[in-house]
Structures are given as C-alpha cells and as structure tokens.
Amino acid sequence: MDYVCDYENPWIYNGHHFLGVDVGNHYGFVYLITNLSNRRSYIGRKYFWTFRTPKGKKRKVRGESDWRNYYGSCDELKEDIKTLGKDLFRREILSLHLTKGKVNFAETEALFKNNVLTESMVDGTPKYYNSNIMNRYYKKDYFET
C-alpha cells in the first residue's frame, strides 16, 4: 500500500519520507536538522505524543504532538528558518525509541558523540546550532572562537 506524505518538508528516515503510519508504538525520535545553505546542523529530540489533563478532568489524555511541523527549539535555528524558508532545511530522523527515557538518553548520547559544543566549520563558525547539553554544558564554555 502506498501512502502519500501529508505534511510539508517531511522528515526523512532511512532514506524515505516518515509518515504518520510509521510512528507505530514509538514514543519519540532523535533528529538532525541541516541548513542546506551553510551546512550547519542541529541535533534534538521530539516526542510523538503529548499528555495533557483536560480542563475539569482528572485523567491525562494522550494526543499527537506537533512532530510533523516541528523544527527544533533553538532560537538561532528558528530565525534562520524564518529568514531562509523551510525548504532550505533537511529534517532527518536518526533513531526511533519506544520509551521517553530511551529517547532522552539517545539524544544526549548523540550530542556528545557529535561534539555539538566544540565542532566548527573550516571558517571557524560553529558546526552545530546547539548551545548546550542538558542545560548543564554550554557552548560558551567549550567553543573556542
């Protein structure tokens, strides 16, 4: 059965568009967003689900998150997307995970393995938009300009 992608600038996973039917039982994913004009990247995580308590209710209700239209939480990245347009950014899912804990661990592992706080481009520009890891380790403390 063929499915048509129902959102713009789709996430890519294993070389293919990632669709809603692909979510399955996964809790979330670790992703890489790349600015195609300057090759800078951002690594982050996103959950497929939100859990909210509706007004006047006691139990939480599960709903789908905004994962289809999500472009990260980094202000610098969001400003570049606003200026350059979404089409100049590639959104790639690096890994899928079944639990919240595994999503969080995989994101932290990817951030450290890719040296997001210290890697730079040939011209000295930071390679990654990421400014911190776990709000504990900051680019300003490690990145040499």
Side-chain angles (χ1 to χ4, degrees):
M1 179 181 281
D2 289 333
Y3 292 97
V4 176
C5 191
D6 60 352
Y7 61 101
E8 77 175 316
N9 195 11
W11 291 99
I12 304 297
Y13 181 62
N14 288 336
H16 302 285
H17 291 170
F18 189 84
L19 308 173
V21 297
D22 298 324
V23 172
N25 292 328
H26 294 102
Y27 192 91
F29 59 96
V30 176
Y31 63 85
L32 174 73
I33 297 178
T34 303
N35 179 332
L36 300 175
S37 68
N38 65 15
R39 308 310 297 170
R40 287 187 73 199
S41 298
Y42 180 79
I43 295 175
R45 68 161 190 255
K46 184 64 180 167
Y47 305 135
F48 290 116
W49 312 104
T50 61
F51 296 89
R52 303 199 190 292
T53 306
K55 204 171 198 173
K57 303 288 183 179
K58 292 183 180 183
R59 290 183 172 243
K60 290 188 177 201
V61 175
R62 182 177 95 158
E64 188 173 340
S65 74
D66 63 346
W67 67 269
R68 296 170 205 259
N69 304 313
Y70 189 71
Y71 281 84
S73 60
C74 172
D75 290 336
E76 184 182 8
L77 172 64
K78 289 193 282 189
E79 187 60 38
D80 278 358
I81 292 168
K82 185 177 176 182
T83 302
L84 301 171
K86 294 177 180 177
D87 290 341
L88 280 179
F89 292 83
R90 176 183 168 91
R91 301 189 305 161
E92 183 178 357
I93 294 175
L94 300 176
S95 58
L96 296 167
H97 303 279
L98 296 173
T99 67
K100 184 177 185 178
K102 288 180 180 177
V103 174
N104 295 342
F105 178 85
E107 178 204 21
T108 303
E109 181 179 47
L111 293 169
F112 279 110
K113 281 186 175 180
N114 287 283
N115 298 313
V116 299
L117 301 180
T118 58
E119 286 293 310
S120 62
M121 313 276 261
V122 175
D123 67 358
T125 304
K127 183 175 180 179
Y128 292 92
Y129 286 96
N130 298 76
S131 62
N132 72 81
I133 298 176
M134 301 170 53
N135 276 331
R136 181 172 183 175
Y137 306 101
Y138 295 90
K139 182 184 292 186
K140 67 180 178 68
D141 296 331
Y142 299 95
F143 193 80
E144 296 180 24
T145 55

